[in-house]
């Protein structure tokens, strides 16, 4: 029996990073409703950058064993992954109107996904900790309402965001997703399948 490997992009399990396939990514949710949702080339450009930043910071979905950005390409989970939108009106603080803000909405694979907090916080740290690599002054991260703890997770993300905006420093790594620590695998390391301790 030929079972597709979740670690290879050479089969029909994954779309290509250079292909915008609306059927394979989640529909924009409530958090993106009043903003300019990225599609086509704009979505692809930011998502390719996301792949690199997540690789550098170790934002990996340990259930599937791959860079979280790859979830958008996994045809087995067409309603899961990230969607992005440019915020039309930033409203935090007196100089908010001059701030370039992207809203990133994460839809997990299930409403009870136990990694959602870790993945969302790790994403926040990657995008904002490497802000010199993109055009945005802030990337807000929210978890789609389909997750049963989205309210709690999003409140923690708002707190991270407020502390970051106030100090210019990322909150400590508790609840992060690897933070680029040594030993975190890169996506290329999965070409032959991951090594496991079992």
């Amino acid at each position: 029996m030929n079972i597709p490997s979740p670690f290879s992009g050479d089969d029909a399990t994954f779309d290509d990073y250079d292909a915008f396939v609306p059927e394979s990514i989640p529909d924009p949710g409530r958090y993106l409703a009043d903003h300019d949702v990225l599609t086509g080339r704009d979505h692809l450009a930011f998502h390719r950058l996301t792949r690199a930043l997540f690789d550098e910071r170790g934002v990996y979905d340990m259930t599937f064993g791959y860079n979280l950005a790859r979830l958008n390409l996994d045809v087995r989970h067409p309603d899961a992954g990230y969607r992005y939108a440019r915020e039309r009106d930033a409203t935090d603080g007196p100089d908010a109107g001059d701030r370039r803000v992207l809203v990133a909405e994460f839809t997990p694979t299930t409403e009870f996904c136990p990694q959602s907090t870790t993945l969302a916080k790790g994403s926040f740290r990657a995008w904002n900790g490497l802000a010199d690599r993109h055009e945005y002054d802030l990337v807000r991260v929210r978890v789609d309402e389909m997750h049963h703890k989205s309210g709690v997770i999003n409140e923690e993300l708002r707190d991270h965001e407020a502390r970051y905006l106030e100090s210019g420093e990322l909150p400590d790594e508790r609840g992060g997703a690897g933070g680029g620590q040594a030993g975190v695998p890169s996506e290329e390391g999965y070409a032959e399948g991951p090594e496991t301790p079992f």
Side-chain angles (χ1 to χ4, degrees):
M1 177 172 14
N2 186 11
I3 300 174
S5 167
F7 309 112
S8 171
D10 298 332
D11 54 47
T13 305
F14 296 98
D15 294 319
D16 189 84
Y17 275 104
D18 293 321
F20 181 70
V21 185
E23 297 79 17
S24 296
I25 55 178
D27 291 330
R30 182 175 75 86
Y31 296 106
L32 305 185
D34 297 324
H35 306 298
D36 299 321
V37 176
L38 301 188
T39 60
R41 288 185 189 177
D42 291 335
H43 173 92
L44 292 172
F46 192 78
H47 201 66
R48 281 192 298 269
L49 173 67
T50 292
R51 173 191 184 186
L53 300 186
F54 284 8
D55 215 29
E56 190 168 327
R57 288 297 177 105
V59 186
Y60 276 71
D61 185 317
M62 293 306 160
T63 299
F64 301 119
Y66 56 57
N67 181 319
L68 180 60
R70 204 164 193 205
L71 181 57
N72 273 45
L73 313 178
D74 194 329
V75 299
R76 298 165 299 180
H77 303 286
D79 297 322
Y82 267 109
R83 290 302 302 268
Y84 315 107
R86 290 186 190 94
E87 190 169 271
R88 287 186 188 151
D89 294 307
T91 56
D92 293 332
D95 62 342
D98 298 328
R99 188 182 296 134
R100 292 166 301 177
V101 178
L102 184 86
V103 183
E105 184 178 62
F106 176 57
T107 304
T109 54
T110 71
E111 63 184 305
F112 300 106
C113 173
Q115 294 185 80
S116 294
T117 302
T118 301
L119 293 172
K121 287 182 179 179
S123 299
F124 176 87
R125 293 183 60 77
W127 282 315
N128 292 295
L130 298 169
D132 60 323
R133 306 267 290 275
H134 55 75
E135 64 185 285
Y136 300 100
D137 301 309
L138 174 69
V139 178
R140 297 186 196 281
V141 180
R142 297 296 182 262
V143 174
D144 187 84
E145 293 177 311
M146 60 78 77
H147 193 276
H148 79 295
K149 289 191 175 177
S150 62
V152 173
I153 298 169
N154 288 333
E155 192 55 42
E156 291 180 24
L157 289 166
R158 286 184 195 95
D159 177 67
H160 269 49
E161 186 181 303
R163 288 190 282 156
Y164 174 65
L165 289 173
E166 182 178 331
S167 68
E169 301 289 328
L170 290 172
D172 65 44
E173 290 190 39
R174 287 176 296 203
Q181 299 169 354
V184 173
S186 71
E187 186 169 283
E188 288 75 23
Y190 285 103
E192 301 298 322
E195 293 182 17
T196 63
F198 307 108

